[in-house]
Amino acid sequence: MLLRVAKPRAARLLPLAAAMAVLAAGVGVAPGMARALEEGKGEEAAIQDCDKRLCAILLSRSPVGPDLKCALTKTWARSKIKEADSQQLSWGFGDARCSVEINLSRATLVAAMTKEHMTFRSPRLTAACVVEENGKPEKVTAVVAPKIEFRNGKVHKIWVRLKKVDGPASITLTVKTAAQLADTFGIFHRQMRKNANRYITRHCAKILDVAAKPAKGKDIKEKTPAK
């Protein structure tokens, strides 16, 4: 969700961002000769479709309609991940690819946007990833349960809430450290919150070509996912 690696399009999705962000932020591990992981066919199209459906729910604020269900995969080149390096965290591996399935209640998402104060608790998300280390693809699995506090339809606080991570020791240490820095010490929290609110008020309004707070009676069409 939303550390500084929220630059990739996939990380614009609020519930997905935490699952993928903790795997795209590292602490000084010596980089290896990484072979490129190629973006899979249909990756971007699936992300864009889920993106639009989430935005339609957030902006329409209508309790009528399907829940948000998406099966997503995102591949990052090492050079793209390195753009998010900071003094606290730097990426020391190669390319990375993560897959996650999202199944979120529409009613809960609408409540987060309409209630004066609402704490959104995502069901546990399992991110199945491949991370290159010393030129070899390594499997990493992380389980997160992101929590987002909303106030008057705006994100106030965000927690990644890493529950479990399995994989090579060097990579799992990286993931645990990144999650701890985010949740315990609040590193990047301000930027995470800022990115999340921009997603709702600017990005969603732009891709749906509507105002962030649609005028009464103005319809926001939603695409029903294929069965």
Side-chain angles (χ1 to χ4, degrees):
M1 22 28 151
L2 287 165
L3 300 177
R4 289 185 62 189
V5 289
K7 292 180 180 179
R9 187 184 297 269
R12 292 174 180 170
L13 302 175
L14 295 180
L16 175 61
M20 292 189 167
V22 294
L23 293 161
V27 292
V29 180
M33 295 296 292
R35 63 183 185 185
L37 291 177
E38 295 184 3
E39 180 177 315
K41 183 178 180 181
E43 272 189 24
E44 193 65 16
I47 291 168
Q48 290 179 359
D49 175 69
C50 189
D51 191 21
K52 289 179 181 179
R53 287 190 282 122
L54 173 59
C55 283
I57 293 173
L58 296 178
L59 294 196
S60 71
R61 304 181 181 183
S62 171
V64 180
D67 293 336
L68 183 71
K69 297 181 180 181
C70 308
L72 304 175
T73 297
K74 178 66 180 179
T75 302
W76 292 279
R78 180 178 186 274
S79 58
K80 176 58 82 173
I81 302 174
K82 291 293 288 180
E83 292 178 6
D85 279 359
S86 68
Q87 292 181 346
Q88 294 86 1
L89 297 170
S90 63
W91 182 249
F93 304 101
D95 300 345
R97 174 185 295 132
C98 293
S99 297
V100 66
E101 291 191 5
I102 296 174
N103 188 350
L104 299 177
S105 163
R106 181 191 189 91
T108 303
L109 291 170
V110 171
M113 297 300 297
T114 56
K115 288 188 175 182
E116 183 177 346
H117 185 193
M118 163 75 176
T119 299
F120 173 87
R121 290 178 172 84
S122 170
R124 292 194 175 197
L125 301 173
T126 299
C129 301
V130 175
V131 178
E132 290 185 331
E133 182 182 28
N134 297 322
K136 179 182 177 182
E138 299 285 359
K139 292 183 178 180
V140 180
T141 302
V143 178
V144 295
K147 183 171 73 171
I148 306 175
E149 182 181 332
F150 286 84
R151 292 187 180 181
N152 297 313
K154 291 186 177 181
V155 174
H156 182 65
K157 293 181 179 179
I158 301 175
W159 294 267
V160 173
R161 298 180 72 210
L162 177 68
K163 298 300 182 180
K164 181 181 179 182
V165 58
D166 295 313
S170 57
I171 301 176
T172 57
L173 175 61
T174 290
V175 175
K176 291 176 182 178
T177 301
Q180 183 179 33
L181 288 175
D183 287 354
T184 304
F185 300 102
I187 299 228
F188 304 137
H189 184 268
R190 182 178 179 182
Q191 188 63 43
M192 291 163 66
R193 182 180 63 192
K194 185 177 181 180
N195 288 347
N197 285 319
R198 281 184 174 178
Y199 173 86
I200 297 169
T201 60
R202 297 185 185 182
H203 171 73
C204 284
K206 182 178 180 180
I207 67 169
L208 296 178
D209 194 26
V210 296
K213 293 184 178 180
K216 185 177 181 180
K218 185 171 183 177
D219 294 330
I220 298 179
K221 295 182 179 180
E222 296 187 42
K223 182 179 179 181
T224 302
K227 294 183 179 180

